[in-house]
Amino acid sequence: MSSQPTAPPTAPPHQGGAGRYLRGAARLLAAAGLAVDAYMHAHLADRYDLISADISQGDLFRIEAGFAALAALLVLVWRRVPADLFAWSVATGGLALLLIYRYANIGAWGPFPNMYEPLWYDDKVITVVAQAVAIVATVYLLIFRPRRARPH
């Protein structure tokens, strides 16, 4: 029997605790927001096929839907910084463009058509909320990274 006091065993900082559950909830929220974003863009794409320059707005909606679906999958299954950054970029870029084309008539730009649409309607509001939820959740994931256990 040793006379040296021993410290109680502790879990490594990256396992267990409320932080793990909060990160899991943030991943689910991010994925849900991106999934709704993907669905809404895929659902609306055919309505925007006639708005076209070199590429149609419908095709841009399909591209956004694909990126959002991929980001939702990555944020769930590949729990790494690049996946979280990609998810944040998709949600933030989508929201930024939605708001720009809602409030500014910048006209056609290069291969992109004039996508100015100064109206709010239910599908657009749902998309804004979904993208905002994904942004907040991915910001949480990027800021509050789990600590790795230090080797002794």
Side-chain angles (χ1 to χ4, degrees):
M1 183 162 185
S2 172
S3 63
Q4 296 289 331
T6 59
T10 59
H14 66 284
Q15 294 179 354
R20 181 176 181 184
Y21 294 111
L22 287 173
R23 289 187 58 73
R27 287 200 180 284
L28 289 175
L29 283 172
L34 288 160
V36 169
D37 179 20
Y39 170 78
M40 294 308 291
H41 277 87
H43 172 70
L44 294 171
D46 63 338
R47 298 180 193 175
Y48 290 94
D49 280 334
L50 295 177
I51 301 169
S52 183
D54 290 342
I55 187 168
S56 77
Q57 187 172 349
D59 289 338
L60 292 171
F61 272 41
R62 289 179 189 93
I63 292 167
E64 169 69 14
F67 279 150
L70 176 61
L73 179 64
L74 287 176
V75 82
L76 285 175
V77 299
W78 191 42
R79 299 175 177 196
R80 302 286 185 265
V81 172
D84 297 342
L85 280 172
F86 179 70
W88 176 85
S89 298
V90 169
T92 304
L95 181 60
L97 288 172
L98 186 150
L99 293 175
I100 287 169
Y101 284 111
R102 162 57 180 91
Y103 291 107
N105 186 356
I106 61 174
W109 187 62
F112 304 109
N114 183 0
M115 296 186 285
Y116 178 63
E117 186 178 47
L119 308 171
W120 283 110
Y121 51 92
D122 291 343
D123 290 342
K124 189 182 279 190
V125 172
I126 290 168
T127 303
V128 166
V129 171
Q131 289 171 328
V133 166
I135 291 167
V136 170
T138 54
V139 165
Y140 177 86
L141 292 171
L142 291 166
I143 291 174
F144 297 104
R145 305 295 313 163
R147 294 186 209 160
R148 300 280 181 209
R150 294 184 191 172
H152 294 272

